[in-house]
Amino acid sequence: MTDPAARFPAGLDLGRLGAYLATHRPESAGEPLRADLIAGGRSNLTYLVHAGDRDLVLRRPPLGHVLATAHDMAREFRVISALAATDVPVPRALLLCADPEVLGAPFYLMERVPGEVYRARRQTDRLSAGQRHDLAMAMMDTLATLHTVDPAAVGLGDFGRPDGYLARQVRRWAGQLDRSRSRPLPGIDELRDRLAATVPDSTGTGRLVHGDYRLDNLLAAVDPATRSMTVTGVLDWEMATLGDPLADLGLLLTYWDVLGGGVSVDNPVADGPGPRAGFPTGAELIDRYAARSDVDVGPLDWHVALGCFKLAVICEGIHYRHTLGQTLGEGFDTIGGMVAPLVAHGLATLREA
């Protein structure tokens, strides 16, 4: 039985989990069963589960105020299962539980992949300048590899609706915003309307896109032989779909150059990436991607503005959940302060385009 002295992190009943594993995945039901919340996630909750001598990772939606389609465990499980046979590094998917009665929400289990998530300056400052450069380039090489995957060849030909993807993204995040409003948000409606009125033609429509690609959604490790950095796993696939790869690039630049470079924003969750932390510039990242991809990387101003809008809505949703007492981990009490600078930068980017 599960150790009665074991800690039960919020959102994870180890007794129920142990009973479920004993029936559906007995080889993963080692005893004693313990778990820790992995800090840093802005949306879905991630736990490191210690099952005897084996470590697993469990993902489930946040506590309360779950936005429709935004925390789809089956979607994550399907995409990492499909990518297992490709060159995209993903954890091995182990078990999907769609029954919300077990833990209060659907969840899935995957293997633990060796590596570190680099999200804080105290981590990235330990890297040499060469290692920071290698890590940024490995991040872009991995994204280029993802965008070259043939969705139909890995069973994901029906994973999304590529036509109209960018316009649908604006509508989707506008809808998420309306479900998360709890305070005045100057400028955000203007940003939404400007994006909707200026949707560009899609490039490479029908590619598999991650939807939230950034440094702290990757696991990375130092190659012991060369001391260079490699990406060992791509995480957090809840927003993956078939769409326009430029959306991944625009959002990455939002994280990299906006939050990690030119705009003074206190990011309480991840302060490690970007030029301000000694990494290459966003322009260098795009050059690396373009050299390794067949995607036509044109002007990205609109896609960066979309990234600002999307991230502002995500932060506002987390802020709203925090006001309801439904967030776990540190830093969420100030995440609402990121919304206004993101909106301002998104508007400025569209005006200058």
Side-chain angles (χ1 to χ4, degrees), residues 234-316:
V234 183
L235 309 174
D236 294 11
W237 293 88
E238 64 184 282
M239 298 180 195
T241 190
L242 302 185
D244 188 333
L246 297 190
D248 273 346
L249 294 177
L251 183 60
L252 177 60
L253 289 179
T254 301
Y255 285 115
W256 201 261
D257 281 346
V258 180
L259 298 185
V263 176
S264 179
V265 180
D266 178 20
N267 185 338
V269 181
D271 66 351
R276 201 160 48 217
F279 284 90
T281 65
E284 292 175 87
L285 300 189
I286 299 304
D287 286 345
R288 176 74 170 214
Y289 173 89
R292 283 159 172 74
S293 170
D294 64 346
V295 174
D296 180 11
V297 179
L300 291 170
D301 294 331
W302 188 92
H303 300 86
V304 171
L306 175 64
C308 289
F309 179 62
K310 176 177 175 177
L311 188 52
V313 173
I314 291 172
C315 290
E316 187 60 23

Side-chain angles (χ1 to χ4, degrees), residues 113-118 122-124 126 215 218-221 229 232:
V113 174
E116 184 172 354
V117 175
Y118 286 91
R122 59 179 171 76
Q123 298 170 286
T124 58
R126 295 198 304 263
L215 182 62
L218 306 178
L219 285 163
M229 303 296 297
T232 57

Side-chain angles (χ1 to χ4, degrees), residues 7-349:
R7 287 176 293 152
F8 280 61
L12 181 58
D13 187 316
L14 290 177
R16 286 179 173 271
L17 176 62
Y20 188 84
L21 290 179
T23 300
H24 298 277
R25 192 90 189 193
E27 71 275 18
S28 300
E31 296 290 348
L33 201 63
R34 298 176 293 109
D36 297 291
L37 177 69
I38 299 176
R42 297 178 176 83
S43 185
N44 288 332
L45 301 175
T46 307
Y47 305 85
L48 179 59
V49 177
H50 310 280
D53 59 357
R54 187 179 187 188
D55 287 344
L56 310 171
V57 175
L58 185 146
R59 291 266 289 171
R60 60 148 290 164
L63 308 180
H65 186 58
V66 176
L67 295 172
T69 75
H71 310 282
D72 191 337
M73 296 295 96
R75 192 171 194 82
E76 285 200 39
F77 187 84
R78 181 183 174 189
V79 72
I80 65 171
S81 298
L83 289 174
T86 73
D87 290 332
V88 180
V90 290
R92 186 165 68 94
L94 300 175
L95 173 72
L96 172 68
C97 175
D99 183 0
E101 296 301 317
V102 179
L103 294 182
F107 67 91
Y108 73 91
L109 281 168
M110 57 186 168
E111 68 174 1
R112 185 186 188 188
V113 174
E116 184 172 354
V117 175
Y118 286 91
R119 64 169 53 94
R121 285 291 297 270
R122 59 179 171 76
Q123 298 170 286
T124 58
D125 284 350
R126 295 198 304 263
L127 301 175
S128 68
Q131 287 175 328
R132 286 194 290 271
H133 178 272
D134 289 346
L135 178 54
M137 297 302 109
M139 175 179 69
M140 300 315 294
D141 292 349
T142 301
L143 184 59
T145 299
L146 170 65
H147 290 164
T148 62
V149 170
D150 179 356
V154 295
L156 295 175
D158 62 346
F159 196 59
R161 294 178 293 139
D163 291 342
Y165 168 77
L166 293 177
R168 202 162 54 249
Q169 281 285 293
V170 178
R171 293 195 299 271
R172 174 188 176 183
W173 291 103
Q176 305 287 41
L177 171 64
D178 290 340
R179 288 185 283 274
S180 300
R181 288 182 188 266
S182 61
R183 57 180 181 158
L185 298 170
I188 201 165
D189 292 325
E190 180 186 354
L191 177 56
R192 174 203 62 203
D193 293 344
R194 283 177 173 266
L195 285 167
T198 56
V199 177
D201 294 333
S202 289
T203 297
T205 298
R207 307 285 181 119
L208 183 61
V209 297
H210 182 277
D212 196 20
Y213 195 82
R214 62 181 194 263
L215 182 62
D216 56 307
N217 266 343
L218 306 178
L219 285 163
V222 179
D223 185 306
T226 65
R227 305 304 298 167
S228 63
M229 303 296 297
T230 61
V231 174
T232 57
V234 183
L235 309 174
D236 294 11
W237 293 88
E238 64 184 282
M239 298 180 195
T241 190
L242 302 185
D244 188 333
L246 297 190
D248 273 346
L249 294 177
L251 183 60
L252 177 60
L253 289 179
T254 301
Y255 285 115
W256 201 261
D257 281 346
V258 180
L259 298 185
V263 176
S264 179
V265 180
D266 178 20
N267 185 338
V269 181
D271 66 351
R276 201 160 48 217
F279 284 90
T281 65
E284 292 175 87
L285 300 189
I286 299 304
D287 286 345
R288 176 74 170 214
Y289 173 89
R292 283 159 172 74
S293 170
D294 64 346
V295 174
D296 180 11
V297 179
L300 291 170
D301 294 331
W302 188 92
H303 300 86
V304 171
L306 175 64
C308 289
F309 179 62
K310 176 177 175 177
L311 188 52
V313 173
I314 291 172
C315 290
E316 187 60 23
I318 296 170
H319 167 77
Y320 182 45
R321 287 202 302 274
H322 179 75
T323 65
L324 300 176
Q326 296 171 343
T327 52
L328 299 178
E330 299 179 353
F332 297 121
D333 55 330
T334 60
I335 203 166
M338 295 174 63
V339 175
L342 284 165
V343 170
H345 188 86
L347 286 170
T349 299

